[in-house]
Amino acid sequence: MALFLGPVVRKINTALTSIRYISTGSTCFGARGLTKTNIRNGMKSVVLSDPKTRNCLSVSMMEDIIEDILVDQNNFEVRCIVISAEGPVFSSGHNLKELAGRGKEGCAEIFAICSTLMNAIADAPVPIVAAVDGVAAAAGCQLVAACDLAVCTQRSTFSTPGASWGLFCSTPGIPLARAVPRKVAAHMLFTGLPISAEVALRAGLVSSVVDDGKLDEEVAKVVESISKKSRDVLALGKKFFYQQIEMDLCSAYRLGESVMVGNIGLPDGQEGLKSFAEKRQPQWKESGGGPTSTA
C-alpha cells in the first residue's frame, strides 16, 4: 500500500491549494460536497453530510475529511477539531460497492487513502474529537478509534462486522487494538457483534458517554477546556503522546525528559510558569513554533 501513499498525498495537496481558510462562523462544504465545516469559538466542526449512504467512507468522503483536517493546520484560530455526522449513522465504513467495482490495485489505493486519513488525525497539531450519535461500524469505528477523544450518546453502538461480508476489518482493527483491551478487540473483530456505548466507555474506545440529546453540550465543555490551553503546548504534548506509546518504558522516559525541557523553553511554557507564580491567568503567545523545537 505504501506505493500509493505518495500519489494520494500529492493529490490532496494539489486540491488544498485551491481552498481558502474558513472564516469564523461561516459554513463551507467540502470540495466534493460530502462534509460541512465551520469555525466558531476555537472549534472547527467537520460534519459528515452524506446520510443517504450512511456516511460511508467512500474515496470522495475520505478526501473531503483529509482536506478539512489539513487546510487549517496553521490557522491558530482553530484549537480543536470535532468530527460528527448527520443522520442516525456516524459512519458505516468503507463503501463496499466501491470496493467491489475495483481490482486489487484500485482497492489498495482506497485503503491507502484511508491510512492517510487516520495518519492525518494523529499528525494534526490540535486534538481531534469524534462526536458520535448513532452507529459507527467497520472503518467508521476505525475513525472513532483513531481520534484523540471520543464522546458518544447512550444510543450509539460500535462494531467491526467486516468478516460477515468476507472482508476482515484488518485496518479498522489497528487503532481499535490500540484503544481497547486485546480480548475486546478480538471479540469485535471475530464476531462482528456491536458493543454498546457503556461497554465502549469501559473498554476505552470512547472518552465519555452522555444521555441522548446532550452530545452538543458535552462536546462544548470539552472544546472549551481545550481552547483554554496553549495550542503550542498541546501540539507538543500530542506529538509526544503518540511517540511514547510505541516505545519501551526507558526510552519513553528519556524522550519525555527532553520534551519537557523543550516545553519549558517555549514562550508559552515560560508564560505558564510565570502566571502560576503571579497567581493570574496565562496569556498564551500562540507562536506556532512549539512542536518542531523539541523531540
Side-chain angles (χ1 to χ4, degrees), residues 27 59 61 119 183 194 205 215 250 293:
T27 298
V59 168
M61 173 69 86
N119 284 319
K183 292 293 193 294
L205 180 57
L215 185 61
C250 289
S293 63

Side-chain angles (χ1 to χ4, degrees), residues 52 68-69 89-90 96 115 128 144 154 163 211 273-274 290:
K52 68 180 182 296
D68 293 337
I69 292 171
V89 178
F90 176 77
L96 297 186
S115 295
I128 298 184
V144 175
Q154 290 281 358
D211 292 337
L273 296 176
K274 185 177 180 181

Side-chain angles (χ1 to χ4, degrees), residues 93-114:
H94 287 300
N95 185 329
L96 297 186
K97 291 181 180 179
E98 188 174 58
L99 286 171
R102 300 200 181 198
K104 285 186 177 180
E105 188 170 301
C107 289
E109 185 173 5
I110 290 173
F111 296 135
I113 293 170
C114 187

Side-chain angles (χ1 to χ4, degrees), residues 32-242:
R32 296 151 199 85
L34 298 178
T35 61
K36 296 177 183 176
T37 61
N38 66 36
I39 298 172
R40 184 178 289 111
N41 298 326
M43 178 183 85
K44 179 169 185 177
S45 173
V46 177
V47 182
L48 311 189
S49 186
D50 193 19
K52 68 180 182 296
T53 70
R54 294 162 61 90
N55 293 311
C56 71
L57 294 182
S58 63
V59 168
S60 294
M61 173 69 86
M62 290 190 291
E63 289 179 343
D64 264 2
I65 301 171
I66 293 168
E67 290 172 11
D68 293 337
I69 292 171
L70 295 182
V71 71
D72 282 299
Q73 292 275 292
N74 298 316
N75 182 353
F76 290 93
E77 184 182 349
V78 176
R79 315 299 294 279
C80 181
I81 297 173
V82 175
I83 300 176
S84 62
E86 293 180 347
V89 178
F90 176 77
S91 176
S92 58
H94 287 300
N95 185 329
L96 297 186
K97 291 181 180 179
E98 188 174 58
L99 286 171
R102 300 200 181 198
K104 285 186 177 180
E105 188 170 301
C107 289
E109 185 173 5
I110 290 173
F111 296 135
I113 293 170
C114 187
S115 295
T116 298
L117 168 58
M118 303 305 159
N119 284 319
I121 292 171
D123 293 340
V126 298
I128 298 184
V129 181
V132 184
D133 185 20
V135 175
C141 185
Q142 178 183 5
L143 181 59
V144 175
C147 286
D148 304 306
L149 301 170
V151 181
C152 75
T153 56
Q154 290 281 358
R155 62 185 164 221
S156 299
T157 61
F158 305 85
S159 63
T160 50
S164 299
W165 308 107
L167 184 63
F168 193 84
C169 285
S170 297
T171 48
I174 294 170
L176 179 66
R178 285 161 168 75
V180 306
R182 176 177 166 182
K183 292 293 193 294
V184 175
H187 179 268
M188 294 178 67
L189 290 165
F190 297 152
T191 70
L193 295 173
I195 62 173
S196 68
E198 290 297 338
V199 172
L201 177 63
R202 292 198 299 271
L205 180 57
V206 300
S207 314
S208 60
V209 178
V210 297
D211 292 337
D212 299 341
K214 298 288 187 180
L215 185 61
D216 290 345
E217 180 180 334
E218 180 67 16
V219 169
K221 289 179 184 177
V222 172
V223 172
E224 180 183 14
S225 182
I226 290 172
S227 295
K228 289 179 179 178
K229 276 67 173 179
S230 161
R231 191 182 195 268
D232 281 354
V233 170
L234 287 187
L236 175 148
K238 178 175 173 176
K239 179 180 178 181
F240 171 68
F241 177 76
Y242 287 110

